[in-house]
């Protein structure tokens, strides 16, 4: 299908749960409009049961003012009434060359007729805004910080993700605030994140395990205290598993076979990327003694000892 007179495709579907990506994509598209006539050439809708197919098709077939193009945007496209979606499917077979349709949705199955119709428009018609996985976020945060004129390392970015959560919108908001605090220094450190960002995300068990792996008792205990109704037995089991992984890492590292760790543990490389470094923080025999302490802790927990005191003692023992 040919491009419109603006050089854009006749239709786009911006789809995915990453709100920041969706917002950036729609902002870029709106930025292509001639701002002198944007009030006339931009027509925005939100899909609802009262949306009329005739109104949308009429808007799509309206010619723009000036030499620019007309942009018709429909938010929550996954909620389009069937008559409207069917009318759009028919329209896309012979679209107005002076108009661009932009559908925006948090999710829309690929097997729907409207998704397939937009996909046929061109290779770049689907703008994927699928959220990144948690482990992919710190490198993204590092790049996002540069947009605000500051730098930050992986550790600071990881701490920010841990405190704020996986919403890129929230991460972007906090980075903007941090960049103002750290403008003179030009760098955002872990200490800056800890000082200026209040933890709003629920503590994940792996954040706690990572702190213990770093032998940072203060951080580990802080995270433990922030957990909502933690199961000390479950945490003890998870910690036992982590120590076993670190024992394996230390053994492979000693033989010069550290690169084989992921395959030996049956995990993805990103899941164990820090294990070798963490294992080197423990002296010979320390990890094994930690395993013994975990076994003793589990027996004590199941025998009715005070769960909070018992587990706290375990964390201190492993980290010390």
């Amino acid at each position: 299908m040919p491009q419109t007179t603006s050089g854009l495709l006749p239709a786009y579907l911006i789809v995915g749960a990453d709100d920041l990506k969706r917002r950036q994509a729609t902002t870029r598209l709106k930025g292509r409009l001639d701002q002198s006539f944007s009030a006339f050439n931009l027509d925005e809708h939100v899909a609802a049961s009262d949306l009329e197919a005739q109104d949308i098709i009429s808007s799509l077939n309206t010619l723009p003012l000036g030499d620019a193009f007309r942009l018709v945007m429909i938010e929550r496209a996954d909620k389009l009434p069937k008559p409207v979606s069917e009318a759009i499917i028919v329209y896309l077979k012979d679209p107005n060359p002076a108009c661009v349709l932009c559908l925006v949705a948090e999710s829309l199955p690929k097997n729907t007729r409207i998704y397939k119709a937009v996909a046929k428009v061109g290779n770049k018609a689907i703008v994927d805004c699928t959220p990144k996985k948690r482990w992919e976020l710190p490198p993204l945060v590092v790049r996002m910080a540069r947009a605000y004129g500051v730098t930050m390392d992986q550790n600071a970015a990881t701490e920010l993700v841990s405190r704020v959560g996986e919403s890129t919108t929230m991460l972007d908001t906090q980075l903007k605030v941090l960049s103002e605090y750290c403008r003179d220094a030009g760098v955002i450190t872990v200490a800056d994140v800890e000082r200026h960002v209040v933890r709003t995300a629920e503590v994940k068990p792996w954040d706690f395990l990572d702190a213990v792996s770093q032998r940072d008792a203060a951080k580990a205990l802080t995270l433990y205290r922030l957990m909502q109704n933690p199961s000390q037995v479950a945490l003890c089991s998870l910690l036992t598993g982590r120590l076993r992984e670190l024992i394996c890492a230390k053994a492979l590292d000693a033989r010069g076979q550290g690169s084989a760790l992921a395959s030996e543990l049956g995990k993805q490389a990103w899941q164990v990327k820090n294990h070798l470094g963490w294992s080197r923080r423990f002296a010979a025999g320390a990890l094994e003694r930690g395993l013994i302490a975990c076994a003793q802790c589990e027996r004590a927990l199941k025998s009715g000892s005070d769960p909070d005191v018992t587990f706290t003692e375990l964390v201190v023992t492993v980290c010390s």
Side-chain angles (χ1 to χ4, degrees):
M1 184 176 289
Q3 295 179 327
T4 66
T5 54
S6 63
L8 296 167
L9 293 174
Y12 294 92
L13 171 59
I14 299 173
V15 59
D18 191 321
D19 181 62
L20 180 62
K21 279 186 180 180
R22 293 201 312 272
R23 179 153 48 87
Q24 290 174 335
T26 56
T27 299
R28 285 196 299 270
L29 196 53
K30 290 179 181 179
R32 296 285 295 270
L33 287 168
D34 184 336
Q35 298 306 305
S36 301
F37 300 103
S38 60
F40 302 97
N41 292 337
L42 174 62
D43 189 12
E44 298 183 89
H45 301 267
V46 177
S49 59
D50 59 349
L51 193 64
E52 295 289 339
Q54 182 178 350
D55 293 339
I56 296 300
I57 299 304
S58 175
S59 180
L60 288 168
N61 285 320
T62 300
L63 294 176
L65 289 178
D67 298 327
F69 66 99
R70 182 172 174 79
L71 176 61
V72 177
M73 302 194 72
I74 306 178
E75 294 278 352
R76 298 181 64 192
D78 52 319
K79 305 297 184 183
L80 278 172
K82 187 171 182 179
V84 178
S85 64
E86 291 298 320
I88 290 174
I89 291 170
V90 173
Y91 162 81
L92 288 177
K93 295 177 181 178
D94 184 24
N96 175 6
C99 184
V100 174
L101 168 65
C102 177
L103 302 176
V104 185
E106 186 171 323
S107 65
L108 190 65
K110 294 182 180 181
N111 61 357
T112 57
R113 284 169 50 79
I114 189 69
Y115 188 105
K116 292 178 180 178
V118 177
K120 287 181 181 178
V121 167
N123 293 333
K124 297 183 178 180
I126 306 298
V127 182
D128 186 5
C129 296
T130 302
K132 289 187 177 295
K133 296 179 175 61
R134 183 183 174 90
W135 64 270
E136 297 176 305
L137 284 173
L140 172 65
V141 170
V142 170
R143 295 194 297 272
M144 290 168 64
R146 296 193 194 111
Y148 289 108
V150 294
T151 61
M152 69 188 309
D153 63 18
Q154 191 88 354
N155 291 334
T158 299
E159 181 63 25
L160 183 61
V161 173
S162 174
R163 286 173 174 260
V164 174
E166 300 170 24
S167 166
T168 50
T169 298
M170 290 296 295
L171 289 168
D172 183 64
T173 299
Q174 290 296 337
L175 281 173
K176 183 177 181 180
V177 174
L178 284 168
S179 68
E180 294 300 321
Y181 282 121
C182 305
R183 182 70 60 195
D184 292 339
V187 59
I188 300 172
T189 66
V190 173
D192 293 322
V193 176
E194 292 174 340
R195 184 180 306 113
H196 299 298
V197 179
V198 176
R199 179 177 293 276
T200 56
E202 182 180 352
V203 175
K204 305 294 185 182
W206 47 83
D207 289 330
F208 164 77
L209 294 176
D210 290 351
V212 175
S213 300
Q214 296 165 19
R215 303 189 72 177
D216 189 337
K219 182 177 181 180
L221 289 174
T222 297
L223 293 174
Y224 166 61
R225 301 294 181 199
L226 290 171
M227 289 183 179
Q228 299 176 6
N229 300 317
S231 166
Q232 287 80 8
V233 173
L235 288 175
C236 183
S237 177
L238 290 173
L239 182 53
T240 299
R242 173 58 65 86
L243 291 177
R244 286 173 177 160
E245 292 173 358
L246 295 180
I247 289 172
C248 182
K250 197 169 188 67
L252 289 172
D253 192 31
R255 297 200 297 266
Q257 300 174 348
S259 59
L261 179 60
S263 60
E264 287 291 332
L265 295 177
K267 294 180 176 290
Q268 298 294 319
W270 63 266
Q271 293 176 299
V272 296
K273 63 180 181 179
N274 294 315
H275 279 45
L276 290 175
W278 287 335
S279 70
R280 293 167 187 159
R281 294 171 181 252
F282 293 85
L287 290 166
E288 289 77 5
R289 289 192 293 274
L291 272 185
I292 295 172
C294 284
Q296 294 171 339
C297 176
E298 184 177 8
R299 284 197 298 270
L301 289 171
K302 293 179 178 179
S303 298
S305 64
D306 185 296
D308 189 51
V309 173
T310 302
F311 190 73
T312 298
E313 290 175 347
L314 172 64
V315 173
V316 174
T317 296
V318 174
C319 291
S320 64

